[in-house]
Structures are given as structure tokens and as C-alpha cells.
Amino acid sequence: MIIEGAAVVIEVDNVNTDVLYPGPYLNIDDPEVMKLYLFEGLDPSLRDKLGRKTILVVGENFGGGSSREHVPLAMKASGIGAVLGRSFARIFFRNCINLGLPAIVCAEAVAAAADGSEIRIDAGKGRVEVDGRSYDTPVLPPFVIDMIRGGGLVNYVRRRLAERAASEE
Amino acid sequence: MAHTLAEKILLDHTDAGDLKPGDIVPIRCDLVLANDVSGPVAFGAMEQMGAATVFDPDRVVMVADHFMPAKDIRSAELQKRLREWSHEHGVHFFDQGRGGIEHAVLIEEGFILPGMVITGGDSHTCTYGALGAFGTGLGSTDIAGCLALGEFWQSVPGTILVEVSGAKRPFVSGKDIILEVLGRIGVAGGTDMVLEFVGPGAEALSIDDRRAVANMAVEAGAESGIFPADRITTDYLAGRTDRPWSALRSDPDAIFARRLRIDLETLEPLVALPPSPGNVVPIGSVAGRKIHQVYIGNCANGTITDLRQAATVLRNRRVHPGTRAIIVPSSQRVYRQALEEGLLEVFIDAGAVVSTPTCGACFGGHTGILAPGEAAIATTNRNFTGRMGSDRADVYLASAWVAAAAAVTGEITDPADVVGEGGP
Ligand code: SF4
């Protein structure tokens, strides 16, 4: 599974989901509207840097705090194809995987990336390339890779429900 | 094989024969929770999953609390959706004026028992560890999966054992214990971990104090914060539920990722400085900072214990003219009890605003938003930039004792300086 795109870098560590998507906008449930408020409490001008193929590059413990899925939903709606970070907060990481948005840990690749760097992620092989230089990442657990490959938790649950229905017949 | 308390609870909820930290396993949930923010997004995902019904309506609870009472049309639409969906699926539903803040409601109304697994579309689902349960916060798609299947995938967490000794000094509360933990391990120190609180100091804590502690486990990035169930848990549950449960404990030879020791004899009131719950300092080092708004409430510290502490400080005193105080009981039950105990009268006489139970300003939603340049002290759990309104406002986190003292003096103050050294 390969994802390519241009880097948009957020340098700071411990970026929480409140600043990524502030509370007042939680009464929105349409990702196409959510994306208008992504990064609102951090730096709204970051939105202008997002293209159709963006890899968001982040620091340590990215996405801590609230479980609001509005953050990865707005990211997907904005064209972000993967998040590459030094480390992720747990609920944010889960939310990304469940939405089929790869969240990849690779500190060396993060250190090498600058805004606009060409990034290529091979999640299955555990490899990240930044401007042609290659870095190894821990391979994601097979369950997580399957989840991302299968298009996320919606499809996974669909399959599980179908299996249950078949076994009951 | 020896297991931690968290591992034992998870083992009881999976078909996996054994498990260890890092394993990814399917876990059955005993209870699934969502609110007016996470619920409607989950309902959309559930439709996409092709699930027409929930796995068990009796194991699903919906609570309108975040933008409740509806602050605008969009919020009203979300609550309408929550209400209609709940009725259609026959699940438990706490509407406006019926429940209050979700985590207070579920604990106080007897939904939570030791040993349960609770998944909630809210990060503070970890609060249920106060009763020895494994509560964990999930996003909306995860919650949709739980609603449809009654299970979720979980990476088995390790455990940080927090050993608490000694007895609390006057004006020290559960809030100070968890702030001490956060100050030591930081906001990422609990990633992929559960915090387990043991020792005589933990065993002596009331359920309200345990709620304050467990609630902020997620502020360390932890999956949950758990107190093994004991006599205090049994007493608390008597009269709330007659469903059976059994108490589990970590095996003595279980493997812990880390141990922390907290001696209550030396613990003093603490304050988390903006913009992180991990920026923890002793109250003395920030005394005198000007406070424009005091907020006593939220799912961690809007309990009857917190309101009694606030009333002890505010009785026969007035809110300082340079500051404003907002007091939010966390549930209808607490609201009524505060009324019966005469606490609401104390607050009103002091010049505080008393609000209906709601998340409200805790997450910057409504009813108490801060202007640029203002500072608040709050008994809430997050002080991130912009959390309670303007991104140029400061939020300090502290106990109800400390927050109420600031209401009287208009600045951060040691409660002993207001009430007297000897304590209440
Ligand atoms: S009171 Fe605050 S922290 Fe608790 S559930 Fe509501 S918004 Fe979240």
C-alpha cells in the first residue's frame, strides 16, 4: 500500500485536538463543512497549504485530548492522504486507522521533511521516502494494515455483519 | 500467567485465550455511550456499515450534554437527531433536564459496575475506572462499530502502578493527586498504558475523589485510570444497582511498566498552568495571579463533594467584584442534592451564577466563554489554548477548594488563607 504526496509540516509537539478543531465547531457533522475549521486554533493559514495530495508531517504525541473524530474527518475531506509523525496520541491514532487514514511513526523521516518535500510511504513494507532518501519504520501490525487496506472500520464492520448473518442462516 | 487488573478485565471480554501488552484483540463492550456531539457522527457511520439495529438497546446510553440546552439551531438539530435515534432504537436516553453530564450520570445512576468494559464517544470515558471498570474513550466510527457489533479492537495496554500512601492534608483532593501524576509523567507519559491506583492513600479516597483522579488519566494519554473495587465501591453501589459484580485485583507478581509513589503527607494543592494539564506547579508559586472567571463544574469535579467544598469557602463570603463565578452541578441528582443541602443558596448569596448541569463552557461550547486577555481558574480537565473561549485567554486547572478561594479574592489563593489554616 503506497501513499505519495507533498509534505506540510507542523513543527510543534503535543498538538491537541482542541486546537486542531476547536470546541465551538463540534456542532457540525458534515466533513465538507468541518474542513473549513481544521487547524482553526493552531494556525488557520495551514489550510491554504493543503492540496489534493498532502502528507501531514507532525511531531511528538500528536492529537492528544478529546476523542473528536472531526479532526481526521476534516483532514480526509481536505485531501490529506496520510499523517507522518514522531508519535501519536492513542485515540487520534485509532480514529485515523478506523477512517483508513494511515498514521505512520518515523522520527527520522519527520526530521528530514520540510514543507513541500516529496514523501512516499510504503506502509506494508514499513518504509518512508523523503525527497528520495529512504527510512525504515516499524511495520504496522497486520490487523491495522488490513484495516487501512480494506478502507477502514466501516467496511470491516460491514464484513463482520455479513459473516454473522451468514453463520446464523 | 500473572495479570494486571486491566488485563483481567479485558480477558473476561475476549475469546483470546491469553493476552499481553501490545496484542490487538477484539473486546466485547458491556455498555456503549455517546453524546450530542459524538452520537450523530456515529449514527452516520453506522448507516454506512449497513447496521439497522444496535447490538443490545439495553447496553446503549445516549446523553445530551455538550451543547445542552441547545445554544443554536445547529446544536438543536444534533439533539433532535440524538433524541429521535434513541427513541427509534429503544436505547437509554437522558434528555435535557433529565441527566446531566454523561460520566456523572452513568456513575450516579448505577450503570457502571466493577469489571465492566465501557466504550464512550468521549475521551473522559476513562472516569469509570473510579468504580474499577475499564472505561475508554473512542471516536465516532469506533462507537458506530460498537453499536453495531458490541465489540471493538483494542491494543492491550501496559499498566503504570501508582502507589499512594499517607493521609490527605486539609484542602487537598483527588484533583491534586492526578495533577501530581500529570506533573511527573507528562501528557504523553501514559500512552498505551492504564494508570492503576493502589495503596492505603488510594483506598481511603471517596468515589468522588476517585472520579476526579480517573477522569484525567486521559490527560496523561492513558487508556484508562483504574481503582480496584473495594469496600468504598461496595458502599457507593448499594442502592444504585442490585446487579452482581466481583472485585478484581492485579496479581502480586503481575508485570508493571512503571511504578510511581505519591505520599499524601507531603502533597499540597496544585495548579496546572495554561496551556497544558501537564504544567503543574504548587499553588504557592502562582498565588496572586489575577482571575476573571471561576468555573466549578465538569465531569471530573462537579460532584456534590466539590460543591460542598466550594460552599465551605463561599459561605458568608462574596465573589470578588473583579471576578465572576460559574458553578455547574454535574448532574440533576447533584443539582437536587445541592438544593436540599442549601448549597445553591450559598452560591447565589455569594453572587455566583448557578447553571443547569451541562458541559457548557468546559469545552468552550457556550455559557461562560472567555474574552481575549482574561484568565480563568477551573475545576475542569483541560486548559488548552482556546479551550474555554478566546485563544488569548488563560485557563488554570485546580480543585474546587482552590477555585472557590480564587472566587473570593479575585486571584489565585491558597484556600487556607481564606478559610483558615486548620482546615474546614
Ligand atoms: S464536562 Fe467537559 S470534559 Fe467532561 S464530558 Fe463535558 S466537555 Fe468533556
Side-chain angles (χ1 to χ4, degrees):
Chain A
M1 193 183 48
I2 291 166
I3 310 115
E4 290 176 302
V8 171
V9 181
I10 297 176
E11 299 271 358
V12 272
D13 293 332
N14 298 312
V15 175
N16 62 71
T17 53
D18 264 81
V19 297
L20 289 168
Y21 190 94
Y25 311 107
L26 289 175
N27 57 1
I28 294 165
D29 62 350
D30 177 358
E32 289 302 314
V33 185
M34 288 175 197
K35 75 180 188 191
L36 306 175
Y37 304 102
L38 182 62
F39 306 135
E40 186 71 16
L42 180 68
D43 176 5
S45 73
L46 278 170
R47 289 196 291 265
D48 304 331
K49 296 187 184 173
L50 305 177
R52 277 208 307 126
K53 277 188 159 186
T54 295
I55 309 281
L56 196 65
V57 179
V58 302
E60 301 225 13
N61 192 37
F62 185 82
S66 164
S67 63
R68 55 191 70 171
E69 204 166 272
H70 305 61
V71 178
L73 282 169
M75 285 180 176
K76 274 189 79 173
S78 305
I80 293 173
V83 192
L84 175 67
R86 291 181 191 271
S87 64
F88 295 101
R90 168 194 155 264
I91 306 177
F92 176 79
F93 177 79
R94 287 187 72 95
N95 287 346
C96 288
I97 301 308
N98 287 336
L99 292 174
L101 177 67
I104 308 291
V105 173
C106 185
E108 288 172 308
V110 169
D115 265 352
S117 291
E118 285 299 325
I119 298 192
R120 185 171 188 277
I121 297 171
D122 188 335
K125 293 219 175 90
R127 192 170 303 137
V128 179
E129 280 174 28
V130 180
D131 295 325
R133 293 197 56 173
S134 185
Y135 304 89
D136 287 335
T137 73
V139 182
L140 291 170
F143 176 87
V144 171
I145 296 204
D146 284 350
M147 178 78 74
I148 298 172
R149 273 220 182 96
L153 189 67
V154 165
N155 291 344
Y156 173 84
V157 174
R158 251 183 186 289
R159 281 200 306 276
R160 288 291 308 276
L161 288 170
E163 284 163 20
R164 275 193 192 179
S167 72
E168 274 162 21
E169 265 167 26
Chain B
M1 200 180 124
H3 285 292
T4 64
L5 170 55
E7 288 165 1
K8 287 184 184 182
I9 298 176
L10 294 177
L11 258 178
D12 276 349
H13 290 80
T14 183
D15 294 331
D18 200 359
L19 43 72
K20 59 179 187 315
D23 289 354
I24 294 181
V25 287
I27 298 290
R28 291 184 290 273
C29 16
D30 297 310
L31 200 67
V32 184
L33 161 77
N35 56 47
D36 51 325
V37 164
S38 59
V41 178
F43 306 154
M46 203 180 133
E47 274 164 30
Q48 289 171 24
M49 289 167 178
T53 56
V54 299
F55 77 110
D56 181 353
D58 204 36
R59 292 174 180 273
V60 175
V61 189
M62 295 289 153
V63 186
D65 61 0
H66 274 61
F67 288 104
M68 188 277 295
K71 71 143 189 162
D72 57 13
I73 296 168
R74 215 143 49 181
S75 312
E77 282 176 344
L78 287 185
Q79 283 163 38
K80 183 164 176 256
R81 181 103 204 271
L82 190 73
R83 190 173 299 121
E84 290 173 353
W85 186 95
S86 298
H87 290 150
E88 186 188 324
H89 288 83
V91 304
H92 299 276
F93 174 52
F94 290 92
D95 205 344
Q96 182 170 313
R98 302 297 168 130
I101 300 173
E102 52 200 280
H103 309 304
V105 173
L106 264 59
I107 286 180
E108 291 165 12
E109 300 305 321
F111 282 94
I112 310 298
L113 292 179
M116 278 175 71
V117 170
I118 305 100
T119 55
D122 187 278
S123 58
H124 291 105
T125 305
C126 57
T127 312
Y128 307 130
L131 294 180
F134 183 88
T136 199
L138 302 177
S140 288
T141 301
D142 253 330
I143 289 301
C146 292
L147 291 171
L149 294 173
E151 66 177 52
F152 64 110
W153 64 276
Q154 171 74 39
S155 172
V156 177
T159 294
I160 297 177
L161 194 69
V162 186
E163 297 169 298
V164 190
S165 62
K168 278 190 294 151
R169 303 194 332 199
F171 306 113
V172 169
S173 73
K175 191 67 149 194
D176 303 300
I177 297 175
I178 191 64
L179 288 178
E180 172 71 15
V181 171
L182 286 162
R184 287 215 228 150
I185 71 174
V187 293
T191 307
D192 294 326
M193 294 288 153
V194 159
L195 307 178
E196 183 182 331
F197 296 86
V198 298
E203 286 161 19
L205 294 178
S206 70
I207 296 296
D208 283 357
D209 269 327
R210 295 180 190 187
R211 285 163 68 176
V213 173
N215 178 277
M216 290 184 76
V218 68
E219 267 54 74
E223 308 261 331
S224 201
I226 310 189
F227 286 79
D230 56 15
R231 275 294 298 277
I232 288 185
T233 322
T234 310
D235 291 348
Y236 185 85
L237 289 171
R240 289 178 206 273
T241 174
D242 46 20
R243 290 179 294 147
W245 57 274
S246 54
L248 297 171
R249 314 201 131 250
S250 288
D251 291 322
D253 53 343
I255 296 167
F256 297 100
R258 185 173 174 186
R259 287 170 191 260
L260 285 183
R261 289 203 170 75
I262 293 182
D263 182 5
L264 294 180
E265 302 292 335
T266 57
L267 188 68
E268 51 185 321
L270 300 173
V271 176
L273 312 183
S276 167
N279 289 345
V280 178
V281 298
I283 186 158
S285 68
V286 275
R289 294 221 187 155
K290 169 117 191 72
I291 293 296
H292 302 89
Q293 180 166 292
V294 172
Y295 189 89
I296 297 172
N298 136 301
C299 54
N301 287 94
T303 67
I304 193 69
T305 301
D306 296 291
L307 299 192
R308 286 177 186 149
Q309 291 168 356
T312 301
V313 178
L314 288 169
R315 188 168 285 121
N316 301 321
R317 295 192 179 91
R318 298 276 300 163
V319 173
H320 189 273
T323 193
R324 326 178 283 273
I326 301 177
I327 300 180
V328 190
S330 59
S331 66
Q332 292 295 124
R333 195 182 271 263
V334 169
Y335 200 10
R336 166 165 289 282
Q337 194 171 347
L339 177 72
E340 284 164 4
E341 293 183 15
L343 309 183
L344 302 187
E345 201 177 344
V346 172
F347 301 145
I348 293 165
D349 286 348
V353 166
V354 183
S355 131
T356 192
T358 177
C359 290
C362 166
F363 74 107
H366 57 137
T367 56
I369 301 300
L370 299 171
E374 290 193 320
I377 192 158
T379 65
T380 59
N381 35 33
R382 292 189 175 137
N383 55 352
F384 301 145
T385 303
R387 175 73 179 182
M388 296 188 86
S390 168
D391 56 10
R392 287 191 290 124
D394 286 334
V395 180
Y396 296 85
L397 305 178
S399 70
W401 286 122
V402 173
V408 172
T409 62
E411 54 189 44
I412 298 180
T413 307
D414 190 325
D417 294 342
V418 176
V419 182
E421 278 294 340

